[in-house]
Amino acid sequence: STKMDLLHSNGVLIIQHLQRDYRAYQDFLNFMSHVGDPRNIFSIYFPLWFQLNQVVGTKMIWVAVIGDWFNLIFKWILFGHRPYWWVQETMIYPNQSSPCLEQFPITCETGPGSPSGHAMGSSCVWYVMVTAALSYTVRWKDKSSVTLHRLTWSFLWSVFWIIQISVCISRVFIATHFPHQVILGVFAGILVAEAFEHTPAIQTASLRMYIKTNLFLFIFALGFYLVLKLLDIDLLWSVPKAKKWCANPDWINIDTTPFAGLVRNLGALFGLGIGINSEMFILSCKGKNSCKISFRILCIAASLATLQLYNFVKIPTHTEYLFYILSFCKSAAMPLTVVALVPYCVHSLMRTTEKKLN
């Protein structure tokens, strides 16, 4: 439509301005784009928070998974273009002189562009972390503590918005999103996170509930895709565009396709369900050692170190279905490691040490 073309062309002008005038901040902006990567939720934020507060850690996974699922459905409905291919195909520029947008190794996302998954994932998980941190200070009653709570409130929400704005600017700078797409992503993420502030049932969910939720999310997404395919609407229309207009074919990654994100998130939720309902979790994270600071610190350190090793596990991409299966297994292993395997090993080590000392 004419209005959407006008919105896109104005977005292109903003991208050109950023790429021209903020070149000196390129490394920082690329770094912030990585900060907003939803995969960091499972490998960094979740291991830290789960050992500090299991309620917050559990909520974080649910918010990340459901938020990313909504992001996928919204992308399929909105059919949002990405700047790096839109400028090559639009007919609104005279004499076929399309603007030149620089691309980067992290530019060539293959899914639709609206809303931004990075902006949505970043805002929802940081919203959970900020509200969790403030829940500790809101209980303070005396006058000096109330003042400290207000200062803390102002500081944390300032940090929240600085991070969200930085992530948004970085996604626009690398020409993978238009400005309106990142703004929509931020507010959509906040809405999802706020919804889970009023959903306490996830803390007592059984393994059966986790499996039912996984099946519902998968069947709905797959059914939505197949129904529209029968109507001759290809929801993977963006993948050929990304392959055609990406400046470097090596920058195209199957991990950015719509179904790759779905499989990754379903695996993480499934792994969390198995972990929380396992005997290892009950023995370690619900045992007497769970209240010790040393236990939690060891669990955090061991979890972060172990999850970094998963980055060295490269999943073969030559067969798409095999990639999805192995990606599901790898994603399930990560929260299972944090919730059950590492705490159980640390618990066993501490118990063995205590026996030797006695």
Side-chain angles (χ1 to χ4, degrees):
S1 67
T2 305
K3 289 184 178 179
M4 189 56 69
D5 284 340
L6 181 61
L7 188 63
H8 284 158
S9 62
N10 287 334
V12 168
L13 291 175
I14 293 174
I15 295 170
Q16 288 181 304
H17 167 69
L18 289 174
Q19 291 189 344
R20 183 182 66 249
D21 297 340
Y22 288 79
R23 173 67 56 194
Y25 304 101
Q26 177 181 329
D27 292 339
F28 170 75
L29 292 173
N30 285 335
F31 170 74
M32 289 308 300
S33 192
H34 285 295
V35 168
D37 193 329
R39 286 169 289 197
N40 289 333
I41 299 169
F42 308 117
S43 61
I44 299 175
Y45 304 139
F46 171 67
L48 282 170
W49 273 96
F50 187 82
Q51 304 304 340
L52 296 174
N53 188 315
Q54 292 167 13
V55 172
V56 177
T58 301
K59 186 193 299 182
M60 189 176 290
I61 292 289
W62 277 88
V63 165
V65 170
I66 301 300
D68 209 50
W69 183 83
F70 273 116
N71 182 262
L72 173 64
I73 301 300
F74 287 152
K75 281 182 174 178
W76 278 349
I77 292 172
L78 296 176
F79 279 77
H81 290 275
R82 292 185 185 271
Y84 75 92
W85 76 57
W86 181 84
V87 294
Q88 304 291 343
E89 298 188 344
T90 182
M91 304 299 293
I92 71 167
Y93 295 107
N95 303 322
Q96 303 298 315
S97 56
S98 58
C100 180
L101 297 182
E102 184 175 355
Q103 296 183 25
F104 303 87
I106 55 176
T107 294
C108 300
E109 301 259 347
T110 57
S114 187
S116 166
H118 280 64
M120 191 168 174
S122 176
S123 65
C124 72
V125 73
W126 278 92
Y127 188 92
V128 169
M129 290 192 288
V130 169
T131 52
L134 290 175
S135 67
Y136 290 103
T137 63
V138 75
R139 303 166 190 161
W140 298 340
K141 299 298 182 183
D142 58 273
K143 190 173 181 180
S144 59
S145 296
V146 169
T147 303
L148 182 59
H149 167 71
R150 288 174 179 170
L151 290 172
T152 305
W153 186 94
S154 300
F155 172 74
L156 290 179
W157 283 118
S158 296
V159 170
F160 172 86
W161 284 111
I162 289 172
I163 290 173
Q164 304 322 311
I165 292 170
S166 298
V167 169
C168 289
I169 292 175
S170 73
R171 301 302 288 171
V172 174
F173 174 84
I174 64 174
T176 199
H177 283 295
F178 291 103
H180 69 277
Q181 295 173 343
V182 292
I183 293 170
L184 179 60
V186 168
F187 288 102
I190 291 173
L191 286 175
V192 171
E194 180 59 29
F196 275 87
E197 290 293 318
H198 310 285
T199 314
I202 60 173
Q203 301 298 334
T204 55
S206 63
L207 180 58
R208 178 177 293 183
M209 179 58 67
Y210 276 90
I211 294 173
K212 284 182 177 179
T213 304
N214 256 22
L215 287 173
F216 170 79
L217 296 177
F218 178 72
I219 292 172
F220 186 97
L222 183 62
F224 188 71
Y225 169 78
L226 293 176
V227 167
L228 290 184
K229 192 171 184 179
L230 288 174
L231 297 174
D232 204 26
I233 299 174
D234 182 16
L235 292 180
L236 300 181
W237 60 273
S238 60
V239 178
K241 289 182 181 293
K243 291 180 177 179
K244 181 179 180 180
W245 296 114
C246 184
N248 186 338
D250 294 335
W251 294 347
I252 296 289
N253 192 339
I254 190 175
D255 202 30
T256 66
T257 59
F259 278 112
L262 176 66
V263 169
R264 182 173 60 246
N265 287 306
L266 295 182
L269 189 63
F270 182 65
L272 177 66
I274 293 177
I276 279 185
N277 290 280
S278 67
E279 285 295 322
M280 287 190 290
F281 170 75
I282 295 170
L283 286 172
S284 55
C285 294
K286 295 294 183 182
K288 62 177 183 178
N289 284 329
S290 62
C291 297
K292 297 179 179 178
I293 299 296
S294 56
F295 173 80
R296 296 187 180 188
I297 292 175
L298 284 172
C299 284
I300 290 173
S303 295
L304 289 172
T306 306
L307 292 187
Q308 299 316 305
L309 296 178
Y310 282 105
N311 293 330
F312 295 101
V313 179
K314 301 301 180 183
I315 301 175
T317 59
H318 58 275
T319 305
E320 194 169 353
Y321 292 111
L322 177 62
F323 171 83
Y324 289 146
I325 293 171
L326 295 178
S327 180
F328 179 89
C329 295
K330 179 181 176 181
S331 298
M334 295 176 74
L336 182 60
T337 298
V338 173
V339 170
L341 296 179
V342 165
Y344 182 75
C345 291
V346 172
H347 167 74
S348 300
L349 180 65
M350 292 180 70
R351 188 173 58 180
T352 303
T353 304
E354 288 173 359
K355 286 182 179 179
K356 287 182 178 179
L357 291 175
N358 293 333

